[in-house]
Amino acid sequence: EVQLLESGGGLVQPGGSLRLSCAASGFTFSSYAMGWVRQAPGKGLEWVSAISDNRGGTHYADSVKGRFTISRDISKNTLYLQMNSLRAEDTAIYYCAKYEKVQEGSIRINNYYYMDVWGKGTTVTVSS
Amino acid sequence: DIQMTQSPSTLSASVGDRVTITCRASQSISSWLAWYQQKPGKAPKLLIYKASSLESGVPSRFSGSGSGTEFTLTISSLQPDDSATYYCQQYKTYWTFGQGTKVEIK
């Protein structure tokens, strides 16, 4: 069974740092792109960051670019999100998600990724 | 950036009703659209991908349709367990969610 388990959330002051972890099991971690999605209290879902399966290419939402860093440790089957310079508006539940890849095209292949499995989330509160 | 707009924001329907949620993209996303269900205090759950493909294990009363900029999620016969918030998401260019549609049971 595919499982994702987030940890590392907590209360942090504005300007502080936090590192989230997501332990993956039940699938070949190195073969899949992974990412983070957050949900502020009472609000909708917001994509935060993603990391590709093979070459480790990374992508960020404009709201966190330059402050957050996504990474993965294949040997530990773990995804990370290093969050620096935290702001009150970063307060949210952070979900880890596994991506499923769909390929389109024959000569020129384009890859598209959707989130098929989600963890239960970890709560980050930024407040003084 | 691609914006996603869902309607309605909330709807109330009776058990057995046919329910339809609409999602519009600000530009064409072909069929690169997914639908998620989220219950209070829980993580989102994938229902539909590629606009109309049903995820394994999801009841057949859920269906998706559309392409380009207009999409719909239909629940053919609403059940008590379907009370939740539903989100559409485009994955043509990065990932953007709609604002959600809360479905309540009368």
Side-chain angles (χ1 to χ4, degrees):
Chain A
E1 180 191 4
V2 174
Q3 287 193 325
L4 301 172
L5 183 62
E6 303 93 337
S7 60
L11 174 64
V12 61
Q13 291 188 338
S17 298
L18 212 55
R19 188 177 82 157
L20 306 184
S21 300
C22 171
S25 61
F27 64 103
T28 304
F29 180 66
S30 59
S31 298
Y32 290 87
M34 300 289 296
W36 294 93
V37 174
R38 68 184 180 183
Q39 187 169 36
K43 303 296 184 182
L45 301 168
E46 179 190 15
W47 169 72
V48 172
S49 182
I51 186 167
S52 69
D53 46 3
N54 46 16
R55 299 178 183 177
T58 59
H59 308 277
Y60 299 93
D62 287 344
S63 58
V64 306
K65 201 172 293 183
R67 300 187 298 123
F68 289 12
T69 302
I70 191 171
S71 62
R72 63 196 302 166
D73 186 331
I74 303 298
S75 67
K76 295 182 179 179
N77 282 359
T78 302
L79 177 73
Y80 301 101
L81 185 68
Q82 177 67 43
M83 305 186 296
N84 298 331
S85 303
L86 282 162
R87 306 165 180 167
E89 54 264 37
D90 296 318
T91 294
I93 299 172
Y94 284 73
Y95 295 101
C96 166
K98 168 185 167 288
Y99 285 85
E100 185 65 33
K101 180 169 67 178
V102 180
Q103 291 187 325
E104 181 187 57
S106 53
I107 298 176
R108 176 178 175 173
I109 296 176
N110 293 313
N111 294 323
Y112 299 92
Y113 300 82
Y114 62 92
M115 302 153 193
D116 67 334
V117 179
W118 298 60
K120 295 184 177 181
T122 186
T123 299
V124 172
T125 302
V126 184
S127 174
S128 54
Chain B
D1 293 6
I2 300 175
Q3 309 301 320
M4 306 300 292
T5 304
Q6 287 181 234
S7 60
S9 297
T10 61
L11 71 86
S12 182
S14 300
V15 172
D17 283 353
R18 182 181 183 88
V19 168
T20 299
I21 299 169
T22 298
C23 178
R24 289 186 174 87
S26 60
Q27 64 188 77
S28 177
I29 57 171
S30 184
S31 296
W32 306 118
L33 184 104
W35 288 96
Y36 298 89
Q37 176 194 64
Q38 187 180 33
K39 297 182 178 180
K42 301 294 186 181
K45 172 189 173 184
L46 176 67
L47 299 176
I48 302 283
Y49 62 94
K50 208 175 181 184
S52 60
S53 296
L54 192 68
E55 173 71 349
S56 176
V58 174
S60 59
R61 63 180 180 273
F62 291 93
S63 65
S65 65
S67 66
T69 61
E70 297 267 338
F71 303 87
T72 59
L73 173 70
T74 300
I75 308 174
S76 60
S77 178
L78 190 67
Q79 300 301 303
D81 189 52
D82 301 336
S83 178
T85 299
Y86 294 83
Y87 294 92
C88 64
Q89 178 212 49
Q90 68 82 20
Y91 54 98
K92 180 178 187 292
T93 305
Y94 297 112
W95 300 271
T96 315
F97 293 90
Q99 79 277 18
T101 295
K102 186 175 183 179
V103 174
E104 299 173 338
I105 309 295
K106 282 183 184 174

